Amino acid sequence: SAVSKCPEVPFSSEAYRISATSRGKELRLTLAPLGPGTPQDLVFRFGMSGSFRLCPAAQLPRHAHLRFLTRESPPRALCFVDARRFGSWRLGDAWQPGRGPCVLSEYQAFRENVLKNLDDKAFDKPICETLLNQKFFNGIGNYLRAEILYRLKIPPFEKARTVLEALKDQEQARRKKNSSLTLSKKLKLMRENPDLLELCHTVPMEVIAAEKNLFDPDHSDNYAAFKNWLQCYLVPGMSSLRDRNGRTIWFQGEPGPMAPKGQASRRKRTRLKADPEALTPKVATRVSKRRPKAAAKPPKPAEDEEEEVAARPRKGRSHRRRKVTTAPTLSEPKAPVKAKRSLRTTARRGRGEAGGP
């Protein structure tokens, strides 16, 4: 499409076959001519919203940035659709350098790559941040990390090395204990008592096994099915914090010792800077819906309601503030400020003094 910044695809053929291979978060398409010609490879990254869709050529979806057309009548188009344009493709068959073994197709190599490199500085970070490092966890994304940690009840901001070093000892003990077991019994034990690295393989496999129900664009309820599969990510009642990369992690229970301190939403931070007397809020999983029984105030616009709730002072402060602002019942009404100024000006003029401008 004209708005795409990805490279032109220098390929033309009367008839060709498209095949695909995935590895982690990348997909390689191969365009192979059925007659003379040289195959063309493209490697895709999907970003947050990229996907492929097959549709009538006369009804192209919005943001269809690359189209492969059929010769049938009427023609159809296989489209790479990406509304946010975070996705991309590049020419050639090479996977992006620096990505580790795939958690799905290269599980054993993936597991060994993690356990033998635990001295890497990447494992000094919280486990929720390390799980997004594609050098070691190629294929794990934001919703998968939340689901994996939730199933094992691992705090997301526990140090990654602390979590993973324990797997070394467990693996050695398990090998000694299960050395006489058959392969089928070993697989059964692994399914019944999975560790974190095993869930990095099996949880994505659950999605793949049910992908027609979860992600088929022709099913109107596909997103509802995906939401029903989720146990933690975006689930009501779960807590959430932003990690140091700005990505939101969903979890249940305590966040862990490396959780960010004093975290607040952007609108709340803006309000706190404007009010230096406001108390520093603690990280909370929910915004309280309790409203103080304050005296009548003028209504605020709807867009300010969230800011008001987020920056509301604690009960003690609002109670003190009400005591201060409550008018005494026996006091005489005070003259308006403008009236006072006019009386003083009149007095000065009566004494022959010069008034202000």
Side-chain angles (χ1 to χ4, degrees):
S1 71
V3 299
S4 176
K5 297 180 181 179
C6 296
E8 295 284 340
V9 181
F11 179 81
S12 179
S13 178
E14 288 296 318
Y16 58 96
R17 178 180 290 110
I18 301 179
S19 58
T21 306
S22 65
R23 183 176 186 268
K25 285 194 170 186
E26 296 182 290
L27 181 80
R28 181 169 61 210
L29 286 190
T30 300
L31 315 179
L34 298 182
T38 304
Q40 175 69 60
D41 290 298
L42 304 170
V43 176
F44 287 80
R45 295 174 61 189
F46 291 89
M48 294 181 68
S49 61
S51 65
F52 279 97
R53 191 177 306 174
L54 185 64
C55 61
Q59 301 175 15
L60 291 177
R62 294 183 63 189
H63 312 290
H65 298 302
L66 189 64
R67 282 95 67 175
F68 304 97
L69 301 176
T70 67
R71 294 187 64 186
E72 60 190 331
S73 182
R76 290 184 295 169
L78 177 66
C79 307
F80 178 65
V81 183
D82 185 15
R84 297 190 179 186
R85 285 194 279 175
F86 292 161
S88 63
W89 66 81
R90 61 184 183 276
L91 304 178
D93 62 352
W95 303 112
Q96 186 181 33
R99 289 181 176 265
C102 176
V103 297
L104 290 173
S105 60
E106 304 164 300
Y107 169 69
Q108 200 56 45
F110 149 72
R111 186 181 184 90
E112 293 172 0
N113 183 48
V114 171
L115 294 179
K116 75 180 181 181
N117 289 296
L118 289 181
D119 58 343
D120 191 281
K121 62 181 181 181
F123 298 98
D124 292 333
K125 298 180 179 181
I127 185 62
C128 65
E129 295 178 16
T130 304
L131 282 173
L132 296 184
N133 188 331
Q134 301 300 295
K135 179 180 178 181
F136 298 104
F137 294 89
N138 187 13
I140 300 300
N142 203 22
Y143 83 90
L144 286 172
R145 67 169 178 173
E147 296 299 312
I148 290 166
L149 295 175
Y150 170 78
R151 295 190 187 193
L152 294 175
K153 308 304 179 189
I154 296 175
F157 291 94
E158 183 64 67
K159 191 173 184 178
R161 187 176 292 108
T162 303
V163 174
L164 294 167
E165 276 184 341
L167 300 187
K168 273 188 169 182
D169 301 331
Q170 293 175 12
E171 189 170 75
Q172 292 173 359
R174 188 163 57 181
R175 283 179 179 175
K176 292 179 180 178
K177 182 179 179 180
N178 301 339
S179 58
S180 60
L181 296 179
T182 62
L183 179 60
S184 61
K185 289 185 177 180
K186 288 180 181 179
L187 292 174
K188 182 180 178 182
L189 284 174
M190 184 182 78
R191 287 192 297 267
E192 292 174 350
N193 302 285
D195 60 32
L196 185 139
L197 298 181
E198 288 164 350
L199 284 183
C200 287
H201 173 76
T202 57
V203 173
M205 286 298 294
E206 290 180 15
V207 181
I208 291 175
E211 63 179 348
K212 287 190 176 181
N213 293 328
L214 298 181
F215 300 115
D216 189 345
D218 294 332
H219 286 72
S220 59
D221 59 345
N222 61 329
Y223 185 63
F226 177 63
K227 287 179 68 176
N228 289 336
W229 175 83
L230 294 170
Q231 299 181 30
C232 178
Y233 182 76
L234 297 177
V235 173
M238 296 294 164
S239 305
S240 66
L241 285 173
R242 287 197 175 189
D243 63 22
R244 289 166 179 83
N245 298 317
R247 304 292 300 275
T248 300
I249 175 67
W250 296 78
F251 61 96
Q252 186 179 54
E254 293 298 322
M258 300 182 74
K261 306 297 182 184
Q263 191 177 113
S265 68
R266 182 173 297 179
R267 298 190 76 180
K268 187 183 291 187
R269 283 199 296 268
T270 303
R271 184 63 174 261
L272 288 173
K273 287 181 180 179
D275 183 9
E277 295 183 0
L279 297 176
T280 302
K282 295 183 179 180
V283 176
T285 59
R286 296 180 181 177
V287 177
S288 174
K289 294 184 179 179
R290 295 182 62 185
R291 296 178 179 268
K293 300 176 182 178
K297 293 183 180 180
K300 293 190 176 184
E303 60 266 22
D304 293 334
E305 185 174 345
E306 182 181 345
E307 182 176 346
E308 178 191 4
V309 173
R312 185 176 293 123
R314 295 177 183 174
K315 183 175 180 182
R317 282 185 61 83
S318 60
H319 183 65
R320 291 195 299 272
R321 190 172 294 170
R322 286 198 302 273
K323 283 187 175 181
V324 172
T325 56
T326 301
T329 55
L330 300 178
S331 61
E332 298 180 359
K334 296 181 180 180
V337 175
K338 288 185 179 179
K340 286 185 175 182
R341 289 176 180 172
S342 61
L343 289 173
R344 286 199 298 269
T345 304
T346 303
R348 285 199 299 270
R349 287 175 180 172
R351 293 194 299 268
E353 298 177 5

